[in-house]
Amino acid sequence: MTTSTTNEGAPGWRDLLSGNNGWRSLALAGGVALHATNVYVATTVLPSIVREIGGLDLYSWNTTLFVVASILGSVFAAQMLSSLGPRVAYITALVGFSAGTMLCAAAPSMPWMLVGRTLQGFGGGILLALSYALIRIVFAPPLWSRAMGLVSGMWGVATLCGPALGGVFAQFGHWRWAFWSLLPVVVGLGLIIRAQVPAGRKVAGAEGTSHANDTTHAVPWFKVVLLCASAVAISMGAVVDSHVVAAVWMVLGLGLAWWLAHRERSVRHALPRLMPTGAYSLRTRLGGLYAVMSLLGLAMTSEIYIPYFLQTIHGQTPFAAGYLAALMAAGWSVGSMTSAGRQGEAADRRVRLGPVIVTVGMLALAWLLPQASLFASATGVAGVCIALFGVGVGVGIGWPHLLTRVMTAARPGEAGLASASITTVQLYSMALGSALAGLVANSAGLADGGLAHVQRASVWLFVLFALAPAGAAVIILRGRVAGAAAKPEGQEAL
């Protein structure tokens, strides 16, 4: 395969975005963009949905069921990939997502809407996992980092486009068309996948890369139940009113997660595996990578309260607050795209620097957001914008390299499981982060509604959440994500 190269000798963006690789990139990035855009479209139109079909008491379950179903879908992605092949697995995920989308668009009541959201989440979770897993199948290894950056950057694109798309249809009283408008994208992605990804289990065009040799196991049903029960319990912590009850739900959820990890590490119960070997131990490179990813993903969930803080403390309009909050996701996209082509020591520097930038950005937000006069000066506006954008950039500059290392750190035969599990880890950390954010904010007095209480909640939320990227920085500095200093996979104590 002839490729153009950058000054460092590595393939450039032109190699990824031209010819057949360009179509494949569009399909994989489009799968993530479709799922992510749907997240923000649904969030934007939910108030309009409730006004028309009722179900305010079930409002929060739209997110809870969607997230849990997404985690479940991501778990099944590796099994579908090995048993159905890339093309059929991806198209099956699109069909499931389409069925849920059509049900949401036609829902006569909130229970039907919840069924549709669950189907959307399940299909979307498979799409997310397959989009990452197929990178190592359809692209040559030198392109993996750039492909990871492109796919990860779609969350930022969706954050900018999703609220606008949902808002336009909601504004004119046609929220159902916000869901219908996603279906042409589904059809387009299906056509590209059918043309560019062979139906067989071994895919040519990746310089010999194949998942044909990956070990295929039966679905670990009990472990899947434990994972979903853990996610449900943690998600419940985000939807109950009492922070004491929320803490109980979260402890229960984390206890179930510990039970799952214990079974995966047990010689007696290890097979069939839900996560690759070494995923639960910081003594392995893979475990360190997953821990860093989880902590950075958890830190990003703090963005869910930023629009509220901006509107309540600073009197910003919903539109302005929403797009200011989107600076985090935009920073993630910019960081991923600009860093993805780095190799060797340049990539290592970005992995080390990223969590430090996130920590500084979170502490800056803890200082800036409570100030009632923040938007009275250009300096204040610039400061909060830089802090928000910086948090996203800090995550983005290391993210493609972390994901690429996950695919290369797995034991032989578990590469497919490792790449598909990226989505499981990311979604689970989002569920945990959302519940933790709610618990911290409510404990700090957010529910009381007074300005002083909201200001105090903004301080505590970002100060405590800054501990997550700080922990990621410690793990990285201790050499837990570099091959030389980490204990090889398969040598952990079981």
Side-chain angles (χ1 to χ4, degrees):
M1 182 173 67
T2 302
T3 61
S4 63
T5 58
T6 65
N7 294 333
E8 291 143 336
W13 284 107
R14 189 175 67 182
D15 300 292
L16 182 68
L17 302 177
S18 62
N20 289 336
N21 278 348
W23 289 108
R24 293 166 181 168
S25 297
L26 179 61
L28 300 190
V32 174
L34 178 66
H35 175 83
T37 300
N38 173 65
V39 170
Y40 295 107
V41 165
T43 301
T44 304
V45 301
L46 265 176
S48 300
I49 292 173
V50 169
R51 282 194 293 270
E52 180 174 328
I53 66 175
L56 181 60
D57 56 325
L58 300 175
Y59 190 98
S60 60
W61 281 98
N62 278 273
T63 300
T64 300
L65 292 177
F66 182 86
V67 170
V68 173
S70 296
I71 293 174
L72 183 61
S74 70
V75 168
F76 280 92
Q79 177 72 16
M80 292 177 62
L81 187 59
S82 61
S83 60
L84 300 178
R87 181 200 291 177
V88 176
Y90 201 98
I91 292 178
T92 301
L94 288 174
V95 170
F97 180 86
S98 300
T101 300
M102 289 187 286
L103 192 54
C104 288
S109 62
M110 186 56 75
W112 282 106
M113 176 63 66
L114 294 179
V115 174
R117 292 287 287 154
T118 302
L119 285 174
Q120 273 191 326
F122 184 73
I126 299 173
L127 281 178
L128 281 179
L130 289 180
S131 294
Y132 288 116
L134 287 178
I135 286 174
R136 71 182 188 87
I137 296 174
V138 302
F139 297 123
L143 291 172
W144 287 357
S145 181
R146 291 187 187 274
M148 285 292 185
L150 178 66
V151 169
S152 300
M154 291 301 103
W155 280 96
V157 173
T159 304
L160 296 173
C161 298
L165 179 64
V168 167
F169 286 109
Q171 181 70 31
F172 291 100
H174 301 295
W175 63 264
R176 296 181 187 274
W177 282 100
F179 291 108
W180 291 120
S181 67
L182 299 175
L183 295 182
V185 179
V186 173
V187 174
L189 292 177
L191 292 175
I192 296 172
I193 287 293
R194 189 177 187 279
Q196 295 296 326
V197 178
R201 293 176 58 191
K202 184 172 183 177
V203 181
E207 296 185 357
T209 301
S210 170
H211 68 289
N213 295 324
D214 284 354
T215 304
T216 302
H217 300 301
V219 175
W221 289 107
F222 184 72
K223 294 177 182 177
V224 170
V225 171
L226 280 180
L227 178 65
C228 291
S230 174
V232 168
I234 288 172
S235 297
M236 286 296 296
V239 301
V240 296
D241 294 329
S242 168
H243 58 266
V244 175
V245 177
V248 171
W249 276 114
M250 289 187 59
V251 170
L252 175 60
L254 293 174
L256 292 172
W258 177 88
W259 187 10
L260 170 61
H262 177 72
R263 291 183 68 89
E264 289 261 275
R265 291 167 59 89
S266 165
V267 174
R268 179 180 178 183
H269 300 293
L271 298 178
R273 301 198 66 87
L274 184 62
M275 299 285 285
T277 305
Y280 302 96
S281 174
L282 285 177
R283 293 179 295 172
T284 67
R285 184 186 186 202
L286 191 60
L289 288 165
Y290 280 144
V292 171
M293 290 166 51
S294 298
L295 290 169
L296 292 177
L298 188 150
M300 284 293 291
T301 59
S302 61
E303 69 177 346
I304 63 178
Y305 280 102
I306 290 175
Y308 182 81
F309 292 148
L310 291 174
Q311 291 179 57
T312 305
I313 301 174
H314 305 289
Q316 297 296 303
T317 65
F319 183 85
Y323 275 96
L324 281 170
L327 286 172
M328 265 197 192
W332 187 338
S333 296
V334 171
S336 294
M337 298 287 286
T338 56
S339 174
R342 304 296 179 176
Q343 304 290 330
E345 180 58 29
D348 290 338
R349 283 197 301 269
R350 283 158 177 78
V351 171
R352 292 193 297 267
L353 182 61
V356 177
I357 296 176
V358 177
T359 303
V360 173
M362 300 286 281
L363 293 176
L365 289 173
W367 176 58
L368 291 169
L369 284 177
Q371 299 180 25
S373 61
L374 179 65
F375 283 81
S377 67
T379 302
V381 175
V384 74
C385 289
I386 292 172
L388 290 168
F389 191 75
V391 170
V393 167
V395 176
I397 60 174
W399 197 256
H401 308 295
L402 293 171
L403 303 191
T404 302
R405 293 176 188 190
V406 165
M407 295 196 295
T408 58
R411 295 177 62 183
E414 294 185 346
L417 182 61
S419 54
S421 66
I422 288 171
T423 302
T424 306
V425 172
Q426 186 175 354
L427 290 171
Y428 190 89
S429 66
M430 289 171 61
L432 176 59
S434 297
L436 276 173
L439 180 60
V440 170
N442 289 332
S443 298
L446 183 72
D448 295 332
L451 178 60
H453 293 97
V454 177
Q455 290 171 313
R456 183 170 64 245
S458 68
V459 174
W460 279 105
L461 178 65
F462 289 104
V463 166
L464 292 179
F465 267 57
L467 296 175
V474 171
I475 293 172
I476 293 170
L477 291 176
R478 293 180 64 186
R480 296 312 189 193
V481 301
K487 195 168 183 178
E489 266 68 323
Q491 296 184 17
E492 63 170 327
L494 293 176

